Amino acid sequence: MNQRLDQTQTPLLSALQAYADRSYAAFHTPGHKRGQGMGRSLIHLLGAQASRADLPELPELDNLFAPRGVIHMAQALAAQAFGAEQTWFLVNGSTSGVMAMMLATCNPGDKIILPRNVHQSAISGLILSGAMPIFVQPEYDPEWDLAHGVTPAAIAAALTQHPDAKAVLVVYPTYYGTCSDLAAIAEITHQFNMPLLVDEAHGAHFAFHPEFPPSALVANADLTVQSTHKTLSALTQAAMLHRQGSRVDSDRISQALQLVQSTSPNYLLLAGLDAARHQMATVGKELMARTLQLADQARSRLSQIPGLDVLQAEQTALSGFWALDRTRLTVKITGLGIDGFTADEILHQQLGVTCELPALRHLTFILSLGNTAADIERLVQGFWQLTQVVEGGGEMGDKGDEGVGWQRLVGEMVMSPRHAWFAATELVEAEQAIARISAELICPYPPGIPVLMPGERITAAAIDYLQQVLASGGMISGCADPDLKTLKVITK
């Protein structure tokens, strides 16, 4: 669509508002009938207007899977605002978008090249599509115990070895805000006439200020998925999938989305996407400039606190760390003599500061357009008070300084995740599971990056790491035994 659209419009949001205000007798879903039958406690939480706006796919509100009206217009506006040729609204989060990208490009048995530190949604995509992963190891920073991005050279090597692959998928940025050289990866991928798929869940804001790393679309990705709720102002679970170029068939994407999304989409989520697009298209650069300023203030002040270290773009020469999103703050706390889970508990429970992601060695904080100068002050003062609470703790020791070593955790991929998912399984003691084939998708969550996945051989290092996360107060998802005393493995 070459014609410039009026970005001050909110077609879907306005239509939902008008219908919520309309007086009529409702004999359609949902059962609470525009809030009339909703429990008082829930109405008190949500408000009467939100209850009235919880509506189904009525004629005036269009249809998500066959859009011709206000959803179609809202998606067209989003495509122009984010720089895509076509955009789909997602109500099942970026998870559904990642799975749809894989279903749209891979048939059962096809190879797909992707980093080992993908989100668990990509493993679900492998199970659903039947594609066979060709894993590329991300660059690992032992000082920070962080897996960053993959390098162009690593992608080129994988493509040379597997020229019959059907697609390349990369994570950009990582949960910690680090970015690969995506334009170089796109150029290499396209030389093999393959589409580049990008899990850009944490980069929806990149398009709206020049001081951010380039968006995946600017870097020439073919498909990219963004969690509009993570860094912009959409409601939780609302996301977008963007396409450009002709390497992936648009109809197949639409069909794939019908497989992985609800047939009863929540219109509050859809309207929130329309509103978030409108906000960014009209005042996004101003909002992002303020957010960057707050982030820079926080980074500078936290760096002056003894015992803390804040991740900086200039701190590493790793080529998998090509750029850093400055609004993502990762703070290493090992100099305080405590682990990240302990620091998180003190900050959250005692000091009123809640991070996005605690890990053994660091805490990660997301700064966005919703943060204020008062938030930054509370963050900085919270860390000063934390140093007083744990004063005299000293360094964590050798084990903490070495990190877990990403490559040490990962076992050999023995069978496809799909075959392992459907294979016969048994429960064994954790110690007996070493060298067996995992039947489970086990992740510390967040960030939801699998340590064990179906079809992969289990290593002793992986079990040790997961048990260390649990012992430190972290959360593990995907395991049948939440205490991790037993593991589900493929029957011999």
Side-chain angles (χ1 to χ4, degrees):
M1 184 181 294
N2 296 322
Q3 178 185 358
R4 295 305 302 174
L5 301 176
D6 179 5
Q7 291 288 341
T8 64
Q9 299 179 78
T10 54
L12 180 53
L13 179 66
S14 298
L16 186 62
Q17 175 74 66
Y19 217 93
D21 291 339
R22 181 180 173 185
S23 176
Y24 69 98
F27 295 95
H28 55 67
T29 61
H32 61 71
K33 297 295 189 285
R34 308 174 74 221
Q36 295 174 153
M38 189 174 285
R40 295 296 98 187
S41 58
L42 185 56
I43 290 181
H44 180 73
L45 175 65
L46 298 181
Q49 185 67 7
S51 306
R52 286 194 296 271
D54 183 23
L55 295 167
E57 293 174 303
L58 298 168
E60 294 86 349
L61 300 182
D62 207 358
N63 185 297
L64 182 61
F65 297 121
R68 296 290 185 270
V70 290
I71 293 178
H72 173 77
M73 189 61 190
Q75 291 183 155
L77 285 161
Q80 280 200 355
F82 286 86
E85 292 179 21
Q86 186 174 5
T87 292
W88 290 262
F89 284 180
L90 309 178
V91 292
N92 286 24
S94 281
T95 291
S96 64
V98 169
M99 292 188 292
M101 287 196 301
M102 299 172 76
L103 286 164
T105 52
C106 295
N107 292 329
D110 285 345
K111 297 176 183 176
I112 181 170
I113 295 169
L114 67 170
R116 178 55 182 78
N117 61 330
V118 287
H119 187 264
Q120 67 181 57
S121 59
I123 310 307
S124 299
L126 293 171
I127 293 168
L128 291 174
S129 68
M132 186 66 189
I134 305 298
F135 284 122
V136 176
Q137 293 301 329
E139 290 218 312
Y140 175 69
D141 185 338
E143 179 185 351
W144 281 82
D145 188 20
L146 287 176
H148 295 309
V150 293
T151 66
I155 295 296
L159 285 166
T160 300
Q161 188 174 356
H162 302 278
D164 55 339
K166 298 300 181 183
V168 173
L169 186 152
V170 298
V171 178
Y172 175 95
T174 69
Y175 214 119
Y176 309 98
T178 64
C179 300
S180 304
D181 186 350
L182 193 64
I185 290 173
E187 182 178 0
I188 293 165
T189 302
H190 293 159
Q191 288 173 1
F192 285 80
N193 197 31
M194 279 182 220
L196 176 62
L197 322 178
V198 180
D199 177 353
E200 197 181 10
H202 289 267
H205 55 300
F206 282 3
F208 299 100
H209 199 282
E211 292 183 23
F212 288 125
S215 72
L217 291 168
V218 168
N220 293 319
D222 297 278
L223 297 178
T224 183
V225 175
Q226 299 171 342
S227 290
T228 321
H229 70 94
K230 281 186 168 71
T231 59
L232 300 182
S233 61
L235 296 174
T236 295
Q237 200 171 309
M240 297 185 192
L241 191 161
H242 306 292
R243 179 193 65 82
Q244 67 179 350
S246 58
R247 290 184 180 87
V248 184
D249 181 68
S250 177
D251 288 340
R252 182 155 175 174
I253 298 170
S254 296
Q255 292 165 8
L257 285 170
Q258 292 185 51
L259 294 178
V260 295
Q261 294 212 97
S262 171
T263 56
S264 300
N266 187 303
Y267 268 81
L268 295 172
L269 301 185
L270 294 172
L273 287 169
D274 194 24
R277 180 275 315 160
H278 170 266
Q279 181 183 43
M280 297 311 295
T282 54
V283 293
K285 186 174 181 180
E286 174 186 341
L287 291 172
M288 290 299 101
R290 184 180 66 85
T291 304
L292 282 163
Q293 182 181 30
L294 290 175
D296 289 344
Q297 290 175 9
R299 177 172 273 103
S300 175
R301 294 178 66 185
L302 290 174
S303 297
Q304 298 172 29
I305 298 177
L308 301 185
D309 196 3
V310 185
L311 186 65
Q312 309 276 4
E314 60 269 20
Q315 284 180 331
T316 179
L318 293 173
S319 53
F321 187 170
W322 178 77
L324 177 67
D325 174 9
R326 298 194 335 250
T327 64
R328 196 61 54 103
L329 299 179
T330 298
V331 183
K332 188 166 62 173
I333 48 73
T334 52
L336 300 180
I338 57 174
D339 62 70
F341 297 110
T342 301
D344 175 56
E345 183 177 3
I346 296 171
L347 286 167
H348 178 64
Q349 299 291 345
Q350 301 179 31
L351 303 176
V353 176
T354 304
C355 77
E356 166 65 17
L357 172 64
L360 288 170
R361 296 172 55 77
H362 37 70
L363 304 174
T364 298
F365 300 81
I366 297 177
L367 276 73
S368 72
L369 73 176
N371 285 113
T372 65
D375 292 335
I376 303 306
E377 188 65 30
R378 193 161 187 175
L379 171 67
V380 173
Q381 293 305 317
F383 265 109
W384 274 113
Q385 293 175 60
L386 177 67
T387 64
Q388 301 304 308
V389 171
V390 300
E391 186 174 10
E395 292 287 341
M396 275 182 67
D398 292 339
K399 186 173 183 181
D401 289 335
E402 292 171 358
V404 299
W406 181 263
Q407 285 78 1
R408 276 199 310 125
L409 301 181
V410 177
E412 174 192 9
M413 177 60 68
V414 181
M415 62 175 66
S416 76
R418 181 180 178 86
H419 287 153
W421 180 265
F422 289 106
T425 64
E426 59 180 330
L427 278 174
V428 299
E429 297 293 325
E431 294 77 14
Q432 298 174 355
I434 297 170
R436 297 287 297 274
I437 303 170
S438 176
E440 297 182 293
L441 179 61
I442 301 180
C443 314
Y445 202 93
I449 297 171
V451 171
L452 297 176
M453 69 173 65
E456 206 168 61
R457 204 172 292 283
I458 298 170
T459 65
I463 294 176
D464 289 344
Y465 175 69
L466 290 169
Q467 290 175 338
Q468 187 180 2
V469 169
L470 280 178
S472 300
M475 181 181 296
I476 302 294
S477 70
C479 43
D481 179 358
D483 297 323
L484 216 65
K485 294 179 180 177
T486 60
L487 289 168
K488 188 182 292 185
V489 298
I490 303 301
T491 302
K492 291 183 178 179

